[in-house]
Amino acid sequence: MSRFAYTTLAAIVAFFAIGAALRGWTRIWAYTAMWSVYLTVVGLGVGFMRLNFFGPAICRGRIGRMKVALTFDDGPDPAATSALLDLLRRENIPAAFFCIGKRVAAHPEIAARIHADGHLLGNHTYHHAPLTAFMGAGGLTGEIALTQKAIFAATGAVPAYFRPPVGLTNPHFARVLRQAKLSMIGWDVRSLDTFGAAPNVIARVLRKTRDGSVILLHDGGSSPKRVVEIAGAIIEGLRARGFGFERLDVILNEPR
């Protein structure tokens, strides 16, 4: 069972135990405290994928070799992704791109280039809706299936990895992803590159990166200049610290 299932079972047992043992206002306060704790724990599970609360999420790769993986979300973007691909080609660095399905459908040529350049494409839902974490199994299945179809149509490749929008999950994710034969991917270095000054973003990544890190960056929703500036400085800085770069599936020791 998942940690969510164990937590829910414990809450149910506590509910009946409180009902049997307490009376009056004491029971009410005990129920209030119990449900407050339960909802807090579930909220943390929704917000922090690395807790593996609703199912397994891979957030770091193999260690011992001073390798890291660059991952980019929210593309493809005709301008920013193309500029980033030029940079990665010059630097001879493989990366993973978690793509929004509707953007793949709108720009299949960019997705095709990502694949042709040897990078990995992952599923990041079709619409990247703010309320994805609150979807039921049916809605989530549809979002994932549409994106798988769009990526396959553009590249001929079937993604094996999934990253939820904003990293938020819910109790349906584990079963839906298992049925879709997708592994859920998180990160252990969040760049926060969608806001803040570029030098601060770069400094944050260089400070937090460690052996085996999976680094979260974005190629969608930003200008080509900013994307290249941030990615280029991170590559240069990590190389100066002795790090090398591997594609996500390789650093996870399960190339597909």
PDB file of all heavy atoms in Angstrom, residues 221-251:
ATOM      1  N   GLY A 221       7.701  29.344 -21.856  1.00  0.00           N
ATOM      2  CA  GLY A 221       7.288  30.503 -21.087  1.00  0.00           C
ATOM      3  C   GLY A 221       8.376  31.496 -20.775  1.00  0.00           C
ATOM      4  O   GLY A 221       8.221  32.325 -19.874  1.00  0.00           O
ATOM      5  N   SER A 222       9.484  31.431 -21.484  1.00  0.00           N
ATOM      6  CA  SER A 222      10.585  32.368 -21.241  1.00  0.00           C
ATOM      7  C   SER A 222      11.199  32.778 -22.568  1.00  0.00           C
ATOM      8  O   SER A 222      10.963  32.149 -23.604  1.00  0.00           O
ATOM      9  CB  SER A 222      11.638  31.713 -20.341  1.00  0.00           C
ATOM     10  OG  SER A 222      12.616  32.651 -19.947  1.00  0.00           O
ATOM     11  N   SER A 223      12.002  33.818 -22.532  1.00  0.00           N
ATOM     12  CA  SER A 223      12.632  34.297 -23.758  1.00  0.00           C
ATOM     13  C   SER A 223      13.846  33.436 -24.104  1.00  0.00           C
ATOM     14  O   SER A 223      14.482  32.862 -23.208  1.00  0.00           O
ATOM     15  CB  SER A 223      13.090  35.744 -23.577  1.00  0.00           C
ATOM     16  OG  SER A 223      14.178  35.813 -22.667  1.00  0.00           O
ATOM     17  N   PRO A 224      14.185  33.325 -25.395  1.00  0.00           N
ATOM     18  CA  PRO A 224      15.376  32.561 -25.776  1.00  0.00           C
ATOM     19  C   PRO A 224      16.638  33.064 -25.079  1.00  0.00           C
ATOM     20  O   PRO A 224      17.467  32.249 -24.643  1.00  0.00           O
ATOM     21  CB  PRO A 224      15.444  32.765 -27.294  1.00  0.00           C
ATOM     22  CG  PRO A 224      14.059  33.103 -27.699  1.00  0.00           C
ATOM     23  CD  PRO A 224      13.456  33.855 -26.565  1.00  0.00           C
ATOM     24  N   LYS A 225      16.765  34.382 -24.950  1.00  0.00           N
ATOM     25  CA  LYS A 225      17.962  34.944 -24.318  1.00  0.00           C
ATOM     26  C   LYS A 225      18.097  34.479 -22.878  1.00  0.00           C
ATOM     27  O   LYS A 225      19.182  34.069 -22.444  1.00  0.00           O
ATOM     28  CB  LYS A 225      17.910  36.473 -24.374  1.00  0.00           C
ATOM     29  CG  LYS A 225      19.123  37.147 -23.728  1.00  0.00           C
ATOM     30  CD  LYS A 225      19.013  38.669 -23.815  1.00  0.00           C
ATOM     31  CE  LYS A 225      20.217  39.329 -23.126  1.00  0.00           C
ATOM     32  NZ  LYS A 225      20.112  40.819 -23.196  1.00  0.00           N
ATOM     33  N   ARG A 226      17.003  34.520 -22.130  1.00  0.00           N
ATOM     34  CA  ARG A 226      17.047  34.125 -20.722  1.00  0.00           C
ATOM     35  C   ARG A 226      17.325  32.624 -20.576  1.00  0.00           C
ATOM     36  O   ARG A 226      18.132  32.205 -19.745  1.00  0.00           O
ATOM     37  CB  ARG A 226      15.723  34.482 -20.044  1.00  0.00           C
ATOM     38  CG  ARG A 226      15.644  34.079 -18.571  1.00  0.00           C
ATOM     39  CD  ARG A 226      14.317  34.516 -17.981  1.00  0.00           C
ATOM     40  NE  ARG A 226      14.091  33.944 -16.650  1.00  0.00           N
ATOM     41  CZ  ARG A 226      14.561  34.483 -15.533  1.00  0.00           C
ATOM     42  NH1 ARG A 226      15.250  35.600 -15.564  1.00  0.00           N
ATOM     43  NH2 ARG A 226      14.297  33.903 -14.357  1.00  0.00           N
ATOM     44  N   VAL A 227      16.646  31.816 -21.395  1.00  0.00           N
ATOM     45  CA  VAL A 227      16.835  30.369 -21.329  1.00  0.00           C
ATOM     46  C   VAL A 227      18.292  29.999 -21.597  1.00  0.00           C
ATOM     47  O   VAL A 227      18.899  29.202 -20.869  1.00  0.00           O
ATOM     48  CB  VAL A 227      15.898  29.655 -22.328  1.00  0.00           C
ATOM     49  CG1 VAL A 227      16.283  28.193 -22.480  1.00  0.00           C
ATOM     50  CG2 VAL A 227      14.451  29.777 -21.881  1.00  0.00           C
ATOM     51  N   VAL A 228      18.862  30.573 -22.632  1.00  0.00           N
ATOM     52  CA  VAL A 228      20.251  30.256 -23.000  1.00  0.00           C
ATOM     53  C   VAL A 228      21.223  30.805 -21.959  1.00  0.00           C
ATOM     54  O   VAL A 228      22.219  30.151 -21.621  1.00  0.00           O
ATOM     55  CB  VAL A 228      20.562  30.807 -24.408  1.00  0.00           C
ATOM     56  CG1 VAL A 228      22.056  30.699 -24.707  1.00  0.00           C
ATOM     57  CG2 VAL A 228      19.757  30.044 -25.456  1.00  0.00           C
ATOM     58  N   GLU A 229      20.958  32.007 -21.452  1.00  0.00           N
ATOM     59  CA  GLU A 229      21.840  32.582 -20.436  1.00  0.00           C
ATOM     60  C   GLU A 229      21.897  31.693 -19.201  1.00  0.00           C
ATOM     61  O   GLU A 229      22.988  31.383 -18.688  1.00  0.00           O
ATOM     62  CB  GLU A 229      21.345  33.970 -20.043  1.00  0.00           C
ATOM     63  CG  GLU A 229      22.163  34.616 -18.914  1.00  0.00           C
ATOM     64  CD  GLU A 229      21.567  35.918 -18.423  1.00  0.00           C
ATOM     65  OE1 GLU A 229      20.530  36.356 -18.955  1.00  0.00           O
ATOM     66  OE2 GLU A 229      22.135  36.505 -17.476  1.00  0.00           O
ATOM     67  N   ILE A 230      20.750  31.279 -18.720  1.00  0.00           N
ATOM     68  CA  ILE A 230      20.701  30.463 -17.509  1.00  0.00           C
ATOM     69  C   ILE A 230      21.305  29.085 -17.747  1.00  0.00           C
ATOM     70  O   ILE A 230      22.172  28.629 -16.975  1.00  0.00           O
ATOM     71  CB  ILE A 230      19.251  30.343 -17.011  1.00  0.00           C
ATOM     72  CG1 ILE A 230      18.764  31.686 -16.472  1.00  0.00           C
ATOM     73  CG2 ILE A 230      19.134  29.264 -15.933  1.00  0.00           C
ATOM     74  CD1 ILE A 230      17.298  31.715 -16.093  1.00  0.00           C
ATOM     75  N   ALA A 231      20.870  28.407 -18.801  1.00  0.00           N
ATOM     76  CA  ALA A 231      21.386  27.065 -19.065  1.00  0.00           C
ATOM     77  C   ALA A 231      22.881  27.084 -19.344  1.00  0.00           C
ATOM     78  O   ALA A 231      23.629  26.230 -18.854  1.00  0.00           O
ATOM     79  CB  ALA A 231      20.628  26.439 -20.236  1.00  0.00           C
ATOM     80  N   GLY A 232      23.333  28.061 -20.118  1.00  0.00           N
ATOM     81  CA  GLY A 232      24.764  28.136 -20.441  1.00  0.00           C
ATOM     82  C   GLY A 232      25.629  28.358 -19.211  1.00  0.00           C
ATOM     83  O   GLY A 232      26.677  27.727 -19.051  1.00  0.00           O
ATOM     84  N   ALA A 233      25.196  29.252 -18.331  1.00  0.00           N
ATOM     85  CA  ALA A 233      25.973  29.531 -17.116  1.00  0.00           C
ATOM     86  C   ALA A 233      25.974  28.330 -16.177  1.00  0.00           C
ATOM     87  O   ALA A 233      26.991  28.043 -15.516  1.00  0.00           O
ATOM     88  CB  ALA A 233      25.408  30.758 -16.414  1.00  0.00           C
ATOM     89  N   ILE A 234      24.857  27.616 -16.104  1.00  0.00           N
ATOM     90  CA  ILE A 234      24.798  26.416 -15.261  1.00  0.00           C
ATOM     91  C   ILE A 234      25.732  25.340 -15.791  1.00  0.00           C
ATOM     92  O   ILE A 234      26.465  24.700 -15.027  1.00  0.00           O
ATOM     93  CB  ILE A 234      23.346  25.906 -15.177  1.00  0.00           C
ATOM     94  CG1 ILE A 234      22.511  26.855 -14.310  1.00  0.00           C
ATOM     95  CG2 ILE A 234      23.294  24.488 -14.621  1.00  0.00           C
ATOM     96  CD1 ILE A 234      21.026  26.560 -14.332  1.00  0.00           C
ATOM     97  N   ILE A 235      25.714  25.137 -17.088  1.00  0.00           N
ATOM     98  CA  ILE A 235      26.611  24.146 -17.694  1.00  0.00           C
ATOM     99  C   ILE A 235      28.073  24.498 -17.412  1.00  0.00           C
ATOM    100  O   ILE A 235      28.862  23.657 -16.977  1.00  0.00           O
ATOM    101  CB  ILE A 235      26.352  24.053 -19.211  1.00  0.00           C
ATOM    102  CG1 ILE A 235      24.977  23.431 -19.480  1.00  0.00           C
ATOM    103  CG2 ILE A 235      27.450  23.256 -19.907  1.00  0.00           C
ATOM    104  CD1 ILE A 235      24.510  23.558 -20.912  1.00  0.00           C
ATOM    105  N   GLU A 236      28.421  25.744 -17.641  1.00  0.00           N
ATOM    106  CA  GLU A 236      29.805  26.179 -17.409  1.00  0.00           C
ATOM    107  C   GLU A 236      30.186  26.033 -15.939  1.00  0.00           C
ATOM    108  O   GLU A 236      31.270  25.534 -15.612  1.00  0.00           O
ATOM    109  CB  GLU A 236      29.968  27.638 -17.848  1.00  0.00           C
ATOM    110  CG  GLU A 236      31.382  28.185 -17.670  1.00  0.00           C
ATOM    111  CD  GLU A 236      31.493  29.633 -18.102  1.00  0.00           C
ATOM    112  OE1 GLU A 236      30.478  30.208 -18.555  1.00  0.00           O
ATOM    113  OE2 GLU A 236      32.598  30.207 -17.975  1.00  0.00           O
ATOM    114  N   GLY A 237      29.283  26.460 -15.050  1.00  0.00           N
ATOM    115  CA  GLY A 237      29.593  26.406 -13.629  1.00  0.00           C
ATOM    116  C   GLY A 237      29.717  24.992 -13.097  1.00  0.00           C
ATOM    117  O   GLY A 237      30.602  24.697 -12.278  1.00  0.00           O
ATOM    118  N   LEU A 238      28.842  24.102 -13.541  1.00  0.00           N
ATOM    119  CA  LEU A 238      28.917  22.722 -13.065  1.00  0.00           C
ATOM    120  C   LEU A 238      30.133  22.001 -13.619  1.00  0.00           C
ATOM    121  O   LEU A 238      30.774  21.208 -12.915  1.00  0.00           O
ATOM    122  CB  LEU A 238      27.628  21.977 -13.434  1.00  0.00           C
ATOM    123  CG  LEU A 238      26.370  22.430 -12.686  1.00  0.00           C
ATOM    124  CD1 LEU A 238      25.159  21.634 -13.151  1.00  0.00           C
ATOM    125  CD2 LEU A 238      26.547  22.274 -11.175  1.00  0.00           C
ATOM    126  N   ARG A 239      30.472  22.278 -14.847  1.00  0.00           N
ATOM    127  CA  ARG A 239      31.691  21.675 -15.400  1.00  0.00           C
ATOM    128  C   ARG A 239      32.924  22.140 -14.636  1.00  0.00           C
ATOM    129  O   ARG A 239      33.850  21.349 -14.377  1.00  0.00           O
ATOM    130  CB  ARG A 239      31.823  22.031 -16.880  1.00  0.00           C
ATOM    131  CG  ARG A 239      31.022  21.120 -17.796  1.00  0.00           C
ATOM    132  CD  ARG A 239      31.161  21.514 -19.244  1.00  0.00           C
ATOM    133  NE  ARG A 239      30.601  20.505 -20.133  1.00  0.00           N
ATOM    134  CZ  ARG A 239      30.282  20.709 -21.392  1.00  0.00           C
ATOM    135  NH1 ARG A 239      30.465  21.928 -21.926  1.00  0.00           N
ATOM    136  NH2 ARG A 239      29.787  19.742 -22.132  1.00  0.00           N
ATOM    137  N   ALA A 240      32.935  23.395 -14.240  1.00  0.00           N
ATOM    138  CA  ALA A 240      34.071  23.920 -13.470  1.00  0.00           C
ATOM    139  C   ALA A 240      34.183  23.225 -12.118  1.00  0.00           C
ATOM    140  O   ALA A 240      35.283  23.149 -11.546  1.00  0.00           O
ATOM    141  CB  ALA A 240      33.913  25.424 -13.274  1.00  0.00           C
ATOM    142  N   ARG A 241      33.078  22.707 -11.614  1.00  0.00           N
ATOM    143  CA  ARG A 241      33.079  21.982 -10.347  1.00  0.00           C
ATOM    144  C   ARG A 241      33.307  20.494 -10.531  1.00  0.00           C
ATOM    145  O   ARG A 241      33.262  19.725  -9.565  1.00  0.00           O
ATOM    146  CB  ARG A 241      31.761  22.215  -9.616  1.00  0.00           C
ATOM    147  CG  ARG A 241      31.567  23.645  -9.117  1.00  0.00           C
ATOM    148  CD  ARG A 241      30.195  23.826  -8.493  1.00  0.00           C
ATOM    149  NE  ARG A 241      29.924  22.823  -7.470  1.00  0.00           N
ATOM    150  CZ  ARG A 241      28.730  22.568  -6.960  1.00  0.00           C
ATOM    151  NH1 ARG A 241      27.678  23.265  -7.394  1.00  0.00           N
ATOM    152  NH2 ARG A 241      28.560  21.645  -6.046  1.00  0.00           N
ATOM    153  N   GLY A 242      33.531  20.069 -11.752  1.00  0.00           N
ATOM    154  CA  GLY A 242      33.856  18.668 -12.001  1.00  0.00           C
ATOM    155  C   GLY A 242      32.680  17.784 -12.366  1.00  0.00           C
ATOM    156  O   GLY A 242      32.831  16.560 -12.434  1.00  0.00           O
ATOM    157  N   PHE A 243      31.514  18.365 -12.617  1.00  0.00           N
ATOM    158  CA  PHE A 243      30.350  17.563 -12.979  1.00  0.00           C
ATOM    159  C   PHE A 243      30.309  17.294 -14.475  1.00  0.00           C
ATOM    160  O   PHE A 243      30.707  18.129 -15.293  1.00  0.00           O
ATOM    161  CB  PHE A 243      29.057  18.280 -12.581  1.00  0.00           C
ATOM    162  CG  PHE A 243      28.783  18.287 -11.108  1.00  0.00           C
ATOM    163  CD1 PHE A 243      28.987  19.436 -10.361  1.00  0.00           C
ATOM    164  CD2 PHE A 243      28.324  17.149 -10.468  1.00  0.00           C
ATOM    165  CE1 PHE A 243      28.733  19.452  -8.994  1.00  0.00           C
ATOM    166  CE2 PHE A 243      28.076  17.155  -9.109  1.00  0.00           C
ATOM    167  CZ  PHE A 243      28.281  18.306  -8.362  1.00  0.00           C
ATOM    168  N   GLY A 244      29.796  16.124 -14.825  1.00  0.00           N
ATOM    169  CA  GLY A 244      29.466  15.794 -16.198  1.00  0.00           C
ATOM    170  C   GLY A 244      27.957  15.675 -16.332  1.00  0.00           C
ATOM    171  O   GLY A 244      27.221  15.741 -15.346  1.00  0.00           O
ATOM    172  N   PHE A 245      27.481  15.465 -17.565  1.00  0.00           N
ATOM    173  CA  PHE A 245      26.050  15.454 -17.828  1.00  0.00           C
ATOM    174  C   PHE A 245      25.639  14.158 -18.516  1.00  0.00           C
ATOM    175  O   PHE A 245      26.324  13.686 -19.435  1.00  0.00           O
ATOM    176  CB  PHE A 245      25.663  16.647 -18.706  1.00  0.00           C
ATOM    177  CG  PHE A 245      25.963  17.973 -18.073  1.00  0.00           C
ATOM    178  CD1 PHE A 245      27.212  18.570 -18.224  1.00  0.00           C
ATOM    179  CD2 PHE A 245      25.011  18.616 -17.298  1.00  0.00           C
ATOM    180  CE1 PHE A 245      27.502  19.794 -17.629  1.00  0.00           C
ATOM    181  CE2 PHE A 245      25.294  19.837 -16.694  1.00  0.00           C
ATOM    182  CZ  PHE A 245      26.539  20.426 -16.860  1.00  0.00           C
ATOM    183  N   GLU A 246      24.540  13.581 -18.058  1.00  0.00           N
ATOM    184  CA  GLU A 246      23.967  12.397 -18.678  1.00  0.00           C
ATOM    185  C   GLU A 246      22.482  12.627 -18.934  1.00  0.00           C
ATOM    186  O   GLU A 246      21.839  13.426 -18.244  1.00  0.00           O
ATOM    187  CB  GLU A 246      24.132  11.168 -17.779  1.00  0.00           C
ATOM    188  CG  GLU A 246      25.540  10.623 -17.735  1.00  0.00           C
ATOM    189  CD  GLU A 246      25.641   9.339 -16.946  1.00  0.00           C
ATOM    190  OE1 GLU A 246      24.799   9.095 -16.064  1.00  0.00           O
ATOM    191  OE2 GLU A 246      26.595   8.572 -17.203  1.00  0.00           O
ATOM    192  N   ARG A 247      21.961  11.897 -19.909  1.00  0.00           N
ATOM    193  CA  ARG A 247      20.527  11.978 -20.153  1.00  0.00           C
ATOM    194  C   ARG A 247      19.787  11.338 -18.992  1.00  0.00           C
ATOM    195  O   ARG A 247      20.305  10.425 -18.327  1.00  0.00           O
ATOM    196  CB  ARG A 247      20.173  11.276 -21.473  1.00  0.00           C
ATOM    197  CG  ARG A 247      18.920  11.830 -22.129  1.00  0.00           C
ATOM    198  CD  ARG A 247      18.719  11.264 -23.513  1.00  0.00           C
ATOM    199  NE  ARG A 247      18.269   9.878 -23.477  1.00  0.00           N
ATOM    200  CZ  ARG A 247      17.775   9.235 -24.527  1.00  0.00           C
ATOM    201  NH1 ARG A 247      17.710   9.842 -25.701  1.00  0.00           N
ATOM    202  NH2 ARG A 247      17.390   7.981 -24.419  1.00  0.00           N
ATOM    203  N   LEU A 248      18.595  11.794 -18.736  1.00  0.00           N
ATOM    204  CA  LEU A 248      17.846  11.364 -17.563  1.00  0.00           C
ATOM    205  C   LEU A 248      17.750   9.847 -17.448  1.00  0.00           C
ATOM    206  O   LEU A 248      18.001   9.277 -16.374  1.00  0.00           O
ATOM    207  CB  LEU A 248      16.435  11.965 -17.596  1.00  0.00           C
ATOM    208  CG  LEU A 248      15.497  11.545 -16.464  1.00  0.00           C
ATOM    209  CD1 LEU A 248      15.991  12.090 -15.137  1.00  0.00           C
ATOM    210  CD2 LEU A 248      14.077  12.013 -16.756  1.00  0.00           C
ATOM    211  N   ASP A 249      17.373   9.169 -18.524  1.00  0.00           N
ATOM    212  CA  ASP A 249      17.212   7.718 -18.426  1.00  0.00           C
ATOM    213  C   ASP A 249      18.525   7.016 -18.136  1.00  0.00           C
ATOM    214  O   ASP A 249      18.553   5.975 -17.484  1.00  0.00           O
ATOM    215  CB  ASP A 249      16.569   7.157 -19.697  1.00  0.00           C
ATOM    216  CG  ASP A 249      17.308   7.550 -20.959  1.00  0.00           C
ATOM    217  OD1 ASP A 249      18.091   8.517 -20.940  1.00  0.00           O
ATOM    218  OD2 ASP A 249      17.100   6.886 -21.999  1.00  0.00           O
ATOM    219  N   VAL A 250      19.627   7.602 -18.579  1.00  0.00           N
ATOM    220  CA  VAL A 250      20.939   7.005 -18.323  1.00  0.00           C
ATOM    221  C   VAL A 250      21.341   7.186 -16.873  1.00  0.00           C
ATOM    222  O   VAL A 250      21.824   6.252 -16.220  1.00  0.00           O
ATOM    223  CB  VAL A 250      22.004   7.611 -19.264  1.00  0.00           C
ATOM    224  CG1 VAL A 250      23.383   7.034 -18.949  1.00  0.00           C
ATOM    225  CG2 VAL A 250      21.644   7.324 -20.716  1.00  0.00           C
ATOM    226  N   ILE A 251      21.134   8.383 -16.339  1.00  0.00           N
ATOM    227  CA  ILE A 251      21.521   8.620 -14.950  1.00  0.00           C
ATOM    228  C   ILE A 251      20.641   7.826 -13.992  1.00  0.00           C
ATOM    229  O   ILE A 251      21.053   7.508 -12.865  1.00  0.00           O
ATOM    230  CB  ILE A 251      21.486  10.123 -14.614  1.00  0.00           C
ATOM    231  CG1 ILE A 251      22.422  10.417 -13.431  1.00  0.00           C
ATOM    232  CG2 ILE A 251      20.080  10.603 -14.292  1.00  0.00           C
ATOM    233  CD1 ILE A 251      22.629  11.890 -13.169  1.00  0.00           C
TER     234      ILE A 251
END
